[in-house]
Amino acid sequence: MRKRSVGAWGVAIVCFIVLMIVTPAIPQSQEYHNFADQRKFLGIPNALNVVSNFPFLVIGLIGLVLCHHGNYFKLSLQGELWGWTCFYIGVAAVAFGSAYYHLKPNDARLVWDRLPMTVAFTSIIGIFIIERIDERKGTVSLIPLILAGVVSIMYWRFFDDLRPYAAVQFIPCLAIPLMAILLPPMYTHSTYWLWAAGFYLLAKIEEAADKPIYNWTYHVVSGHTVKHLCAAMVPVFLTLMLAKRDIETNRISLFQSWRISWSKTKENGAAVDSLTCTYSGVAVEESH
């Protein structure tokens, strides 16, 4: 088992090295800092992009309290507690890092915006490994995953190359929904993972449409401000999941449960069609 884990990490490192060799560097565009809504309110520059980070602080603190106060979330594994603690620390820190960045957007401040987000992303991967693959592997991988995220940001800052950071963002976006669908869950309410992934995808679309949304709303709100609010829904849904879930007694993946539901729906539909045909035949006979 240990050899397989080392082998998996080795394959991942080799794939990353090959990717870095065959792809060109991706520098940070300075246009990124030119957000649509730059209005000042109450002396706060870029006010809506700054204050829209407040929900991250609220949900991050709520999550931390519920993780550690009377084990409200019923976390049964030590690795889970560490993983969710890192996640909620990252979420709460987003409020400070992102607000600090949006007060005066530039590359130096962008580090503090991206750092807590990366801690949250990488913690989620470790949590998924704990829940759906192996507790020990997931617990051991938490620190290396978080360090990999931090190194990706440092690499971008010193070498002006976003490729490692892009990989840290892209891999969870792809892996989490796939793992949520294909791997048997330890707990109930797994669909909340998909809701969270959906809101994150929506947030990325809104981020890309910053200026168009600002124009469509007649300069009421920009895409980046709405992006902050949608992204904050990710920890909201995950917190609701933690509060509602129980140990899953029938451990089948969402994909398997969807297949079973679809088969039952088809069987019920066939039974209804058969019954309808029977009644129609009887009605025809009675009419004669």
Side-chain angles (χ1 to χ4, degrees), residues 4-43:
R4 290 173 61 184
S5 299
V6 173
W9 276 102
V11 169
I13 292 170
V14 169
C15 290
F16 176 74
I17 292 173
V18 170
L19 182 69
M20 293 293 289
I21 292 173
V22 301
T23 59
I26 305 174
Q28 176 65 59
S29 170
Q30 294 307 298
E31 182 61 24
Y32 178 83
H33 306 304
N34 184 26
F35 297 102
D37 188 357
Q38 299 181 17
R39 292 172 295 178
K40 180 185 291 187
F41 293 117
L42 300 176

Side-chain angles (χ1 to χ4, degrees), residues 48-120:
L48 287 183
N49 283 344
V50 171
V51 300
S52 58
N53 288 288
F54 182 68
F56 289 106
L57 177 62
V58 174
I59 191 62
L61 292 178
I62 289 174
L64 280 172
V65 170
L66 295 181
C67 273
H68 294 274
H69 181 68
N71 195 19
Y72 180 82
F73 288 150
K74 301 174 185 175
L75 301 175
S76 57
L77 305 174
Q78 186 64 46
E80 285 185 295
L81 181 60
W82 294 344
W84 285 111
T85 297
C86 291
F87 172 75
Y88 282 115
I89 288 174
V91 169
V94 166
F96 298 102
S98 186
Y100 175 69
Y101 163 65
H102 282 288
L103 286 169
K104 187 179 179 181
N106 57 45
D107 283 359
R109 290 184 174 228
L110 187 55
V111 171
W112 302 105
D113 180 18
R114 288 174 170 169
L115 187 60
M117 286 191 290
T118 302
V119 170

Side-chain angles (χ1 to χ4, degrees), residues 54-236:
F54 182 68
F56 289 106
L57 177 62
V58 174
I59 191 62
L61 292 178
I62 289 174
L64 280 172
V65 170
L66 295 181
C67 273
H68 294 274
H69 181 68
N71 195 19
Y72 180 82
F73 288 150
K74 301 174 185 175
L75 301 175
S76 57
L77 305 174
Q78 186 64 46
E80 285 185 295
L81 181 60
W82 294 344
W84 285 111
T85 297
C86 291
F87 172 75
Y88 282 115
I89 288 174
V91 169
V94 166
F96 298 102
S98 186
Y100 175 69
Y101 163 65
H102 282 288
L103 286 169
K104 187 179 179 181
N106 57 45
D107 283 359
R109 290 184 174 228
L110 187 55
V111 171
W112 302 105
D113 180 18
R114 288 174 170 169
L115 187 60
M117 286 191 290
T118 302
V119 170
F121 290 147
T122 50
S123 298
I124 285 293
I125 291 292
I127 290 167
F128 247 92
I129 296 172
I130 291 170
E131 286 189 8
R132 309 210 176 205
I133 298 177
D134 183 83
E135 176 193 354
R136 184 178 174 279
K137 289 180 182 178
T139 303
V140 170
S141 69
L142 274 171
I143 293 178
L145 285 169
I146 292 172
L147 285 176
V150 173
V151 168
S152 74
I153 293 175
M154 295 301 103
Y155 184 89
W156 154 64
R157 188 68 184 103
F158 286 108
F159 298 101
D160 194 22
D161 185 359
L162 285 168
R163 285 178 296 170
Y165 177 72
V168 167
Q169 276 222 331
F170 174 74
I171 290 172
C173 291
L174 181 64
I176 288 173
L178 285 176
M179 292 169 75
I181 292 170
L182 298 177
L183 297 181
M186 182 184 295
Y187 300 100
T188 59
H189 293 83
S190 286
T191 51
Y192 278 82
W193 284 108
L194 301 184
W195 281 104
F199 269 97
Y200 183 75
L201 176 60
L202 179 60
K204 299 305 289 183
I205 294 171
E206 290 163 344
E207 180 181 32
D210 181 35
K211 289 179 174 65
I213 291 175
Y214 192 54
N215 292 328
W216 294 338
T217 60
Y218 298 96
H219 297 184
V220 173
V221 66
S222 70
H224 203 87
T225 297
V226 180
K227 173 244 183 179
H228 287 164
L229 301 177
C230 271
M233 291 301 296
V234 173
V236 167

